[in-house]
Amino acid sequence: EDKVVQSPLSLVVHEGDTVTLNCSYEVTNFRSLLWYKQEKKAPTFLFMLTSSGIEKKSGRLSSILDKKELFSILNITATQTGDSAIYLCAVRALYGKLTFGQGTILTVHP
Amino acid sequence: EPEVTQTPSHQVTQMGQEVILRCVPISNHLYFYWYRQILGQKVEFLVSFYNNEISEKSEIFDDQFSVERPDGSNFTLKIRSTKLEDSAMYFCASSEGGQFTGELFFGEGSRLTVL
């Protein structure tokens, strides 16, 4: 059975801190790993990673994949209160099915 | 920006009733999905749909559930004889490609409450 595990489950930081969120996986027929941000309702797309060692960046967020060790990290630098959300890691297999982790709840205090 | 739209945003139903949740995927996307999230739990895959047929389904997606693309734009999830444990947020998603290309874009969700 496909499995995605995220850590930590929750994290409380202050504005300006840097955070690292972890995602490890065991998936048959791996195609890609995706990070989503979930605030109130729909998960919104952040990154899709398919190759090891290539960092993807978007502003203060960055992510990298290690296909040998089967994990990914999501970094957020200079956190802001607007970064408070649940961060979901999902792994995509054959036919596009996503298997989600349980999420990391990030709370950023002013 | 194109988006996936879902209706209704919230539906309350009595146990045993049938519900239909509707989705309009992004227009040039070819792959469609339903996921659900029970309150406080993981987002779970239900079914993927391509070329007018189911590509893959999870063990949650039993005979109680069915999907349809009735008119080339809508993508529906029908839940027959609803149970209390069907209460969840149901997300529709679409992608341009299947296994190799494109991220999944999610709709805002339809919250189903079964009483």
Side-chain angles (χ1 to χ4, degrees), chain A residues 12-30:
Chain A
V12 180
V13 299
H14 286 94
E15 271 193 322
D17 289 349
T18 293
V19 298
T20 298
L21 310 183
N22 303 294
C23 175
S24 64
Y25 62 91
E26 294 172 30
V27 171
T28 308
N29 295 313
F30 174 89

Side-chain angles (χ1 to χ4, degrees), chain B residues 86-105:
Chain B
D86 295 327
S87 295
M89 182 73 92
Y90 287 82
F91 292 109
C92 174
S94 68
S95 68
E96 193 173 356
Q99 55 183 303
F100 297 117
T101 60
E103 59 269 26
L104 271 69
F105 291 89

Side-chain angles (χ1 to χ4, degrees), chain B residues 45-60:
Chain B
F45 170 76
L46 292 178
V47 66
S48 59
F49 191 86
Y50 168 71
N51 201 26
N52 281 320
E53 59 183 31
I54 290 174
S55 308
E56 189 177 7
K57 58 184 182 179
S58 71
E59 48 198 40
I60 302 167

Side-chain angles (χ1 to χ4, degrees), chain A residues 3-4 31-32 34 36 38 40-43 45 48 50 88 92-102, chain B residues 9 31 33 35 37 42-43 45 48 55-56 89 91 95 97-109:
Chain A
K3 194 173 168 187
V4 178
R31 292 291 180 262
S32 56
L34 294 88
Y36 286 87
Q38 187 177 28
K40 292 198 174 136
K41 287 190 177 178
F45 173 77
M48 184 170 75
T50 53
L88 301 173
R92 187 170 190 175
L94 204 61
Y95 300 118
K97 167 191 166 183
L98 290 182
T99 300
F100 280 86
Q102 68 275 54
Chain B
S9 57
Y31 294 80
Y33 313 86
Y35 287 79
Q37 188 175 32
K42 288 186 187 186
V43 177
F45 170 76
S48 59
S55 308
E56 189 177 7
M89 182 73 92
F91 292 109
S95 68
Q99 55 183 303
F100 297 117
T101 60
E103 59 269 26
L104 271 69
F105 291 89
F106 285 82
E108 289 284 303

